[in-house]
Amino acid sequence: MKILIVDNSAVSRVGGHFFTNNLNGDFINELLSFNNTISYFQFYADKNDNISVYDLIKNGVRCVTIKIRKNKILRYLLAYLQIIPEIIKADFIYFYYPNTFRFASFFCKFLHKPFGVYVRGMNGVKDNISEKIYRNAYTVFTVSDYFTNMVNDITHSKKAHTIRPMIPYSNDDVVNGRIYLPRKEYRILFLGRVAKDKGLGELVQAIEILHNEGFLIKVQIVGNGEFLKQLQDIVSEKKLNNIISIEGPVYDNDVKAAYYKKSDIYVLPTYHEGFPRTLYEAMIFGTPIVTTFVGGISALMIDKENCVKIEPQSVESIVDGLRYAMNNYKEMGMMANKGTVLVKKIVDKNRLSHAQHLNQIISNYGK
């Protein structure tokens, strides 16, 4: 089957090749293994961001890309003119969502082309246009039961499905038997995209307050992103370099697992999400969690049951959440154990993967 994937973030162009992230690459490779052909549509930027490391062209993906231009009207006019013939050529179109090309789904409807939607973020996914898109879609996949139930309620159907998390770990990797004794010094981890909307500015302010209160803390921020340089400057200005370590991205799965296993608390002060993969990973490795409840997070996470809830964009709430976690660490251990029991079923390797499930559904189209 000829599948056109319409990504919801720009790809990187380096040396005439186009790159996306590894997890997206794993999904594409699996679709290719089922004898599908893949075309990939998105804007591109000439940059090497150290996050996009999967070479689309090298892996046999046909890239249909448009250079990002300053003039937005011209940019999108050219893009929509280019996507229409790609829709005509494809057997199935798959939109990562939310997506700036969401109106292209109406061309799919007009041209009688089946399309699917992969809901993986929260911005704009409940507006009137999105609801029409879900109704027109042949199938919908989401990262959380919260979004799956939302789409099925809107469409009065069961066309939406929650994917098995697209992470490199399974139930075989689940850690049992971690010991959660109170520490003299707590190791706090953030692992993910280094962006302002992940709440990292507020996290640094919160750590400064807790340090001044006398808590012994070591913080590791692992990742890369557009906020990296600014975050480094903030940490330096506050003279917190000996407390907060900004360590850059990590791609090796064993190294990433070691970060969780060696950390006492995983903190995620994000402003908006679908359902973040890192929460699954923290539960897999038994790391107690302090997180906001934005997007689909509340579908799995329960305050004082398997995590501690904090409010987005609130330094005070992060301070309160981390203070509670450190002052009640045995209780945090019990929460982590409940998270481990929960996640074991979710990442069961016997569940269909995202690519397997999608391929199974679209193979039945027209039968």
Side-chain angles (χ1 to χ4, degrees):
M1 183 171 284
K2 298 175 184 176
I3 301 173
L4 173 64
I5 293 177
V6 185
D7 200 348
N8 62 348
S9 58
V11 295
S12 299
R13 186 177 74 166
V14 180
H17 283 230
F18 298 96
F19 296 82
T20 184
N21 65 74
N22 255 342
L23 291 173
N24 201 16
D26 291 341
F27 170 67
I28 292 168
N29 280 343
E30 199 167 1
L31 283 178
L32 288 168
S33 74
F34 301 131
N35 297 317
N36 298 300
T37 59
I38 307 294
S39 296
Y40 207 82
F41 186 90
Q42 241 303 335
F43 290 115
Y44 74 85
D46 288 310
K47 62 177 182 177
N48 187 353
D49 59 11
N50 295 321
I51 296 174
S52 302
V53 294
Y54 175 85
D55 189 331
L56 290 158
I57 292 176
K58 185 178 178 180
N59 284 279
V61 177
R62 178 174 165 269
C63 294
V64 185
T65 54
I66 308 97
K67 185 174 177 61
I68 294 177
R69 300 171 185 269
K70 290 183 179 179
N71 186 319
K72 286 189 176 181
I73 295 175
L74 179 61
R75 178 200 309 177
Y76 284 103
L77 176 62
L78 293 173
Y80 272 94
L81 287 174
Q82 198 161 347
I83 199 173
I84 294 172
E86 296 303 322
I87 290 172
I88 293 171
K89 286 185 281 189
D91 298 317
F92 188 84
I93 300 90
Y94 198 47
F95 293 91
Y96 293 3
Y97 206 76
N99 199 309
T100 54
F101 295 113
R102 64 183 185 165
F103 293 106
S105 65
F106 295 111
F107 290 119
C108 297
K109 178 72 173 177
F110 177 76
L111 294 166
H112 303 289
K113 291 286 185 173
F115 71 90
V117 178
Y118 170 31
V119 180
R120 59 190 227 169
M122 66 178 282
N123 286 342
V125 298
K126 290 186 73 173
D127 62 21
N128 291 335
I129 293 171
S130 295
E131 291 184 6
K132 290 178 182 178
I133 290 171
Y134 303 145
R135 292 190 185 101
N136 291 337
Y138 179 67
T139 189
V140 178
F141 285 87
T142 87
V143 295
S144 165
D145 287 341
Y146 170 86
F147 294 111
T148 296
N149 294 335
M150 176 194 78
V151 171
N152 286 337
D153 286 345
I154 289 169
T155 60
H156 304 292
S157 71
K158 293 186 178 180
K159 69 169 66 177
H161 314 272
T162 306
I163 66 167
R164 192 179 86 198
M166 291 173 65
I167 58 176
Y169 310 107
S170 72
N171 52 312
D172 290 341
D173 299 295
V174 169
V175 171
N176 296 294
R178 277 187 64 161
I179 298 173
Y180 301 95
L181 297 176
R183 277 67 162 136
K184 290 183 178 180
E185 180 179 83
Y186 285 89
R187 296 162 296 184
I188 298 172
L189 173 68
F190 169 87
L191 191 152
R193 182 170 58 89
V194 179
K196 186 175 181 180
D197 59 8
K198 293 295 183 181
L200 295 175
E202 292 90 341
L203 176 61
V204 171
Q205 294 179 60
I207 294 302
E208 181 181 33
I209 292 170
L210 290 166
H211 171 65
N212 291 336
E213 288 181 1
F215 285 95
L216 298 178
I217 306 169
K218 291 292 183 185
V219 181
Q220 292 178 304
I221 295 176
V222 180
N224 199 2
E226 63 275 14
F227 193 58
L228 183 65
K229 179 62 170 62
Q230 189 174 344
L231 186 65
Q232 290 170 331
D233 291 342
I234 293 170
V235 171
S236 295
E237 288 169 8
K238 292 182 175 295
K239 297 181 172 57
L240 294 173
N241 298 85
N242 60 330
I243 296 170
I244 301 175
S245 173
I246 302 175
E247 307 200 358
V250 57
Y251 303 112
D252 184 280
N253 294 330
D254 291 335
V255 174
K256 185 164 66 169
Y259 273 109
Y260 288 107
K261 292 175 184 177
K262 292 177 181 177
S263 298
D264 302 311
I265 300 166
Y266 179 72
V267 60
L268 183 65
T270 183
Y271 298 178
H272 53 83
E273 293 286 340
F275 191 92
R277 301 181 183 105
T278 57
L279 291 184
Y280 291 122
E281 292 171 349
M283 286 189 284
I284 286 169
F285 299 112
T287 310
I289 293 169
V290 174
T291 181
T292 57
F293 273 34
V294 296
I297 291 176
S298 61
L300 278 184
M301 309 309 294
I302 302 172
D303 186 34
K304 302 301 192 300
E305 176 74 14
N306 53 20
C307 68
V308 168
K309 177 184 177 181
I310 54 176
E311 298 301 325
Q313 303 186 59
S314 171
V315 174
E316 182 181 1
S317 183
I318 298 171
V319 170
D320 289 344
L322 290 175
R323 187 192 292 124
Y324 181 91
M326 291 184 286
N327 285 336
N328 301 273
Y329 198 64
K330 285 186 178 180
E331 184 182 341
M332 293 299 294
M334 289 187 282
M335 295 182 205
N337 286 331
K338 290 177 180 177
T340 298
V341 172
L342 172 69
V343 80
K344 193 176 292 187
K345 297 177 182 177
I346 295 171
V347 298
D348 187 339
K349 63 184 179 182
N350 293 316
R351 286 183 64 193
L352 291 177
S353 69
H354 184 185
Q356 288 171 332
H357 203 164
L358 176 63
N359 188 73
Q360 181 185 81
I361 287 177
I362 63 179
S363 295
N364 291 325
Y365 179 73
K367 293 182 179 179

